[in-house]
Amino acid sequence: GYEWILLGTRDATGPVTEARFSNQWRDPRVLPTLKAIGVDTPDRLGTLFIADGSDLANATRDVALLDDDHPRRVSPRFAYVIDPFYGRFMAAADARKRFEASALVRRLWPEGLRDRTLASFESEGVLNRFAIAGFGGAETGLPEVAALLSGSSLRAPICWMLRSSAVEQEIAKRAAARGLKDPLVDELLGVEAMADRDYRSAEVLFARAQAGSPEPERLLRLRALALCLAGNAEGAGKLAVEAREPKGARDRLDWEWLTETCGLASHRAP
């Protein structure tokens, strides 16, 4: 999202070997944290790149400096709507080009890792759209979830997009192990099954959660998505027939996408 960070070096040299670069992904103490923040593999770290020093210098050439005498050059107000420049500047396709052309990247990034990093930028674009939705960006829905499921092996971001997190997943699993029967626990375990790409199990769990959920129509859509991804268009079509008229624009777009993508048109009620 818009939580950017500026990093610098004191004339760091490189690159190191890919094996050394990847050491932290082999550390059992570090890996769970990396996965929890959506940096499952070394190439994912590279997709967080937006620009290097020369790009930033060009982008800020005519901007007045922030200093102690001018603190309000950074606004004291929380930005509920962000200037469109930021969304354009962090666009994954453009960031990918800058990564590929960056002298800094060529100097520091292991060569064998570069191509895999470039290939991962597409899923970063999906995550960016999700992350900026609350700041005036277009709301994301099932198409973005499906794109991430099919185009990456990421787990934590799937949970985020389905309103959960790694921490919440652990709580739900402990609750289920204690024998707690609750629709929310079933929903959360369904989210975990989706992140594991176990779509059949996810649909069963979402169905169990649906009856007691305050959002049964949302669970119905998730069931349809799970069945669609599992290759069961007929089952997804039967759920589409059960669906009520969507109340919101996002709900309607999700059903339209499911209908078109999964071939549900012949199953929808007239």
Side-chain angles (χ1 to χ4, degrees):
Y2 292 125
E3 298 290 339
W4 299 0
I5 184 171
L6 182 65
L7 299 174
T9 81
R10 293 182 176 177
D11 300 316
T13 58
V16 297
T17 64
E18 185 175 343
R20 181 179 173 189
F21 184 93
S22 304
N23 272 342
Q24 55 196 328
W25 282 270
R26 291 190 292 271
D27 187 330
R29 298 166 299 175
V30 177
L31 184 58
T33 300
L34 289 169
K35 288 186 173 182
I37 62 173
V39 187
D40 297 46
T41 54
D43 54 284
R44 294 301 313 174
L45 181 64
T47 64
L48 301 180
F49 174 93
I50 297 178
D52 67 12
S54 60
D55 297 315
L56 294 173
N58 289 333
T60 59
R61 180 172 289 115
D62 299 322
V63 178
L65 293 175
L66 173 68
D67 56 34
D68 289 346
D69 291 334
H70 303 90
R72 287 183 179 252
R73 284 178 176 160
V74 172
S75 173
R77 298 183 303 276
F78 184 80
Y80 289 97
V81 178
I82 306 295
D83 189 294
F85 161 82
Y86 294 97
R88 292 195 302 268
F89 195 67
M90 69 185 288
D94 292 335
R96 182 188 187 277
K97 292 177 184 176
R98 289 192 291 266
F99 180 93
E100 189 171 23
S102 170
L104 177 74
V105 169
R106 285 196 300 273
R107 194 173 86 235
L108 298 180
W109 212 252
E111 185 174 358
L113 187 58
R114 287 179 204 161
D115 288 344
R116 298 204 302 278
T117 302
L118 290 169
S120 295
F121 268 95
E122 184 172 351
S123 54
E124 183 63 20
V126 177
L127 282 176
N128 283 346
R129 291 198 297 277
F130 166 72
I132 67 174
F135 292 90
E139 189 178 359
T140 55
L142 296 190
E144 288 77 17
V145 174
L148 214 55
L149 284 168
S150 61
S152 79
S153 59
L154 293 169
R155 295 188 78 263
I158 299 299
C159 295
W160 303 339
M161 297 182 81
L162 296 178
R163 305 183 188 175
S164 186
S165 67
V167 172
E168 194 173 49
Q169 291 297 314
E170 288 302 316
I171 294 170
K173 284 189 285 188
R174 289 199 299 270
R178 294 198 307 270
L180 179 64
K181 305 294 184 184
D182 186 277
L184 180 57
V185 172
D186 288 330
E187 179 182 338
L188 292 173
L189 294 179
V191 169
E192 181 181 48
M194 290 291 279
D196 288 337
R197 279 65 173 175
D198 183 0
Y199 304 124
R200 289 180 175 84
S201 295
E203 193 278 327
V204 171
L205 288 160
F206 288 145
R208 212 156 64 195
Q210 184 180 345
S213 171
E215 298 180 288
E217 290 296 311
R218 174 175 174 269
L219 270 295
L220 190 69
R221 291 196 302 278
L222 291 179
R223 290 176 62 194
L225 174 64
L227 288 173
C228 180
L229 293 173
N232 185 355
E234 182 177 357
K238 291 177 180 177
L239 294 182
V241 172
E242 296 177 22
R244 298 176 182 175
E245 185 64 29
K247 293 181 179 179
R250 181 69 262 172
D251 302 346
R252 185 169 58 256
L253 289 172
D254 281 346
W255 273 122
E256 289 174 355
W257 177 84
L258 282 166
T259 299
E260 179 180 349
T261 304
C262 303
L264 307 188
S266 61
H267 300 286
R268 291 302 303 268

